């Protein structure tokens, strides 16, 4: 099976330039995730192929030495793209060793086509595997389908280069040329073309996967405080309720509200109010466990979901929060803003009919009681028995009549 090698090379050049141009146009002014390194590498690779295509028409030193060196620079650039995507620093002195090595090897073996092909193929295979390994070693920073596609494309490319190097060593290639069509040449450049498409698509998908993930995270986040927003914290509560019911475990919930927050806004201004919200969130986050979750339920109201926690445990934590917030006024413009919290706590073993909205209602009722009883305090919603619909166990749990 043979195909016209110059045509295959031309296809690679045209696709590389087209993809690079698309990436450069799309990413212009907003370079991120290493896409600019990828685009530049494609252009360098295309230039290398153009020099191969001109074999016989320009000096061999240009076509052989520079053509192969540019191929090696292209793989150094792909490595740079992956490292940039992963947020790793560039190590140019190390990353540019292979291209320098390639230039020296090509000079040295200029007269021996077979050895030249073998050396160039093995060196490029090593560089491809280096990119693959960099991707693989930090899988957590590039999860998703894109990374799989890229890894697969790199693996195929490396396998093809190793096979080409071995075939060059095994067969006498004197008198042959890179532009001659034979089975190995055809396979080499067909695989190179496919690998170019697959790896580039994989890299772009990687960037897209990351953008999707960032959007998903932001959609579930409260922009001011950085904790879960109302939708996310309710979703987390639903999951915690389902898990507590399945495993017949305790769970607790706190509704935390900043006292007289309107007064903070009125006296110090809204920016100060925002700072107080962040301050309170930071203090809460410092004291909850990894499996707990805090979210902003409303203006100055926060929900804290506490899986596998008894009512008494939640009450102790709530009291700690009240104490620490009172003892740590919020720093603002060289002074301090005193802050206190009221907290309503629900905790217990759930009954099958209990739902997240009932638990919120319970914690909210207890919070109402805490406000009514003078603020800066903790009140409990339900201390015994399964939780039931409002109007039964919950009503009348306020220890102090509302004023
Ligand atoms: N700075 C700031 N203020 C907010 C934000 N969201 C809500 N608020 C304000 O929070 C205040 C809530 O006031 P109230 O519901 O009367 O509660 P309160 O003053 O804390 O009174 P109690 O809860 O009864 O102690 C209102 O003034 C809202 O404008 C926000 O994101 N930033």
């Amino acid at each position: 099976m043979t195909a016209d090698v110059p045509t295959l090379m031309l296809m690679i050049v045209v696709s590389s330039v087209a993809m690079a141009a698309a990436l450069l146009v799309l990413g212009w002014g907003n370079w991120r995730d290493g896409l600019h390194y990828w685009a530049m590498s494609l252009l360098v690779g295309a230039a290398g192929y153009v020099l191969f295509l001109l074999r016989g028409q320009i000096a061999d030193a240009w076509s052989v030495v520079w053509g192969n060196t540019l191929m090696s620079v292209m793989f150094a650039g792909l490595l740079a793209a992956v490292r940039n995507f992963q947020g790793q620093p560039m190590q140019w002195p190390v990353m540019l060793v292979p291209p320098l090595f390639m230039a020296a090897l090509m000079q040295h073996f200029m007269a021996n086509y077979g050895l030249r092909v073998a050396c160039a193929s093995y060196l490029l295979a090593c560089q491809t595997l280096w990119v693959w390994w960099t991707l693989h070693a930090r899988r957590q920073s590039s999860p998703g389908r894109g990374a799989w596609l890229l890894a697969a494309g790199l693996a195929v490319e490396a396998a093809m280069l190793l096979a080409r190097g071995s075939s060059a060593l095994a067969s006498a290639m004197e008198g042959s040329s890179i532009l001659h069509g034979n089975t190995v040449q055809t396979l080499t450049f067909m695989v190179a073309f496919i690998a170019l498409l697959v790896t580039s698509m994989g890299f772009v998908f990687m960037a897209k996967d990351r953008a999707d993930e960032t959007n998903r995270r932001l959609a579930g986040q409260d922009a001011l405080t950085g904790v879960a927003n109302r939708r996310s914290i309710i979703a987390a509560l639903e999951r915690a309720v389902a898990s507590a019911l399945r495993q017949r475990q305790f769970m607790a919930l706190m509704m935390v509200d900043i006292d007289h927050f309107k007064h903070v806004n009125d006296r110090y201004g809204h920016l100060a109010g925002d700072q107080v919200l962040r301050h309170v969130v930071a203090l809460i986050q410092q004291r909850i466990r990894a499996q707990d979750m805090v979210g902003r339920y409303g203006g100055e109201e926060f929900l804290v979901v506490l899986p596998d926690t008894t009512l008494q445990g939640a009450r102790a934590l709530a009291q700690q929060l009240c104490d620490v917030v009172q003892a740590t006024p919020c720093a603002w413009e060289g002074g301090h803003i005193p802050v206190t919290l009221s907290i309503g706590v629900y905790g217990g073993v759930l009954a099958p009919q209990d739902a997240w909205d009932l638990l919120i209602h319970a914690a909210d009722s207890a919070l109402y009681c805490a406000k009514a009883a003078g603020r800066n305090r903790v009140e409990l919603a339900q201390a015994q028995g399964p939780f039931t619909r409002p109007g039964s166990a919950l009503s009348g749990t306020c220890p102090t009549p509302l004023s």
Side-chain angles (χ1 to χ4, degrees):
M1 178 188 71
T2 56
D4 185 49
V5 171
T7 307
L8 283 175
M9 284 191 181
L10 207 58
M11 279 166 58
I12 295 177
V13 171
V14 172
S15 342
S16 299
V17 171
M19 266 187 294
L23 288 180
L24 289 171
V25 168
L26 291 178
W28 199 260
N30 181 25
W31 295 124
R32 60 190 175 91
D33 295 335
L35 285 169
H36 52 311
Y37 283 115
W38 196 272
M40 296 311 288
S41 305
L42 293 181
L43 289 179
V44 170
Y49 274 107
V50 169
L51 292 179
F52 289 153
L53 276 167
L54 293 174
R55 184 73 50 94
Q57 298 174 49
I58 56 172
D60 269 5
W62 276 92
S63 180
V64 174
V65 180
W66 278 103
N68 282 293
T69 303
L70 286 182
M71 284 296 143
S72 183
V73 172
M74 176 185 81
F75 281 104
L78 300 186
L79 180 63
V82 171
R83 287 182 72 88
N84 185 267
F85 182 90
Q86 295 173 333
Q88 293 197 69
M90 292 301 150
Q91 295 175 322
W92 288 114
V94 182
M95 287 156 60
L96 288 177
V97 166
L100 293 176
F101 199 45
M102 178 71 88
L105 280 175
M106 292 303 102
Q107 281 287 356
H108 190 72
F109 293 115
M110 182 69 92
N112 189 329
Y113 178 67
L115 266 181
R116 235 167 51 205
V117 171
C119 288
S121 302
Y122 284 140
L123 188 54
L124 294 179
C126 289
Q127 287 189 264
T128 313
L129 290 173
W130 191 1
V131 183
W132 184 90
W133 176 250
T134 304
L135 186 69
H136 176 76
R138 292 205 168 201
R139 283 186 307 278
Q140 70 285 1
S141 57
S142 46
R145 299 155 302 163
W148 280 105
L149 207 56
L150 176 54
L154 291 169
V156 170
E157 174 83 17
M160 179 275 285
L161 285 165
L162 290 173
R164 177 175 164 81
S166 305
S167 137
L169 280 185
S171 60
M173 299 185 81
E174 285 320 307
S176 189
S177 153
I178 194 167
L179 299 180
H180 283 175
N182 59 33
T183 308
V184 173
Q185 294 279 84
T186 303
L187 282 176
T188 299
F189 295 109
M190 269 193 174
V191 170
F193 179 61
I194 292 166
L196 166 79
L197 298 182
V198 169
T199 52
S200 297
M201 268 177 62
F203 197 75
V204 170
F205 260 101
M206 251 165 61
K208 183 189 164 304
D209 285 344
R210 174 178 282 176
D212 287 350
E213 176 54 33
T214 307
N215 288 340
R216 245 194 314 276
R217 194 163 34 78
L218 289 179
Q221 219 177 36
D222 172 51
L224 178 67
T225 59
V227 292
N229 61 16
R230 185 185 176 104
R231 192 163 54 83
S232 295
I233 192 66
I234 288 177
L237 176 60
E238 277 187 278
R239 284 195 300 274
V241 168
S243 163
L245 279 172
R246 230 181 8 257
Q247 300 176 24
R248 306 194 135 275
Q249 276 178 339
F250 287 100
M251 77 157 285
L253 180 70
M254 294 197 288
M255 185 71 89
V256 179
D257 189 282
I258 302 174
D259 294 328
H260 298 304
F261 190 60
K262 184 174 178 330
H263 174 71
V264 172
N265 275 333
D266 293 346
R267 172 150 182 213
Y268 301 93
H270 263 75
L271 289 180
D274 291 350
Q275 182 59 22
V276 167
L277 289 169
R278 284 190 288 261
H279 170 75
V280 167
V281 163
L283 291 174
I284 295 175
Q285 279 180 315
Q286 281 165 20
R287 272 151 196 85
I288 59 176
R289 305 162 302 176
Q291 67 263 42
D292 304 333
M293 190 166 174
V294 56
R296 191 168 174 197
Y297 187 67
E300 85 296 19
E301 255 185 348
F302 297 92
L303 259 186
V304 185
V305 179
L306 303 162
D308 198 14
T309 304
T310 61
L311 181 67
Q312 293 314 318
R315 168 199 241 163
L317 174 64
Q319 191 56 56
Q320 265 182 35
L321 287 179
C322 278
D323 294 344
V324 75
V325 167
Q326 186 177 21
T328 320
C330 174
W332 179 251
E333 290 185 343
H336 288 96
I337 304 174
V339 188
T340 60
L341 300 179
S342 295
I343 305 182
V345 180
Y346 167 78
V349 176
L350 306 188
Q353 72 270 20
D354 292 338
W356 63 269
D357 55 332
L358 287 182
L359 307 195
I360 289 184
H361 178 81
D364 207 24
S365 302
L367 170 64
Y368 187 61
C369 296
K371 293 277 181 188
R375 296 180 174 78
N376 189 21
R377 57 187 290 133
V378 175
E379 289 297 341
L380 306 183
Q382 167 86 349
Q384 77 281 325
F387 189 71
T388 46
R389 286 269 157 202
S392 57
L394 251 191
S395 0
T397 50
C398 267
T400 314
L402 301 185
S403 51

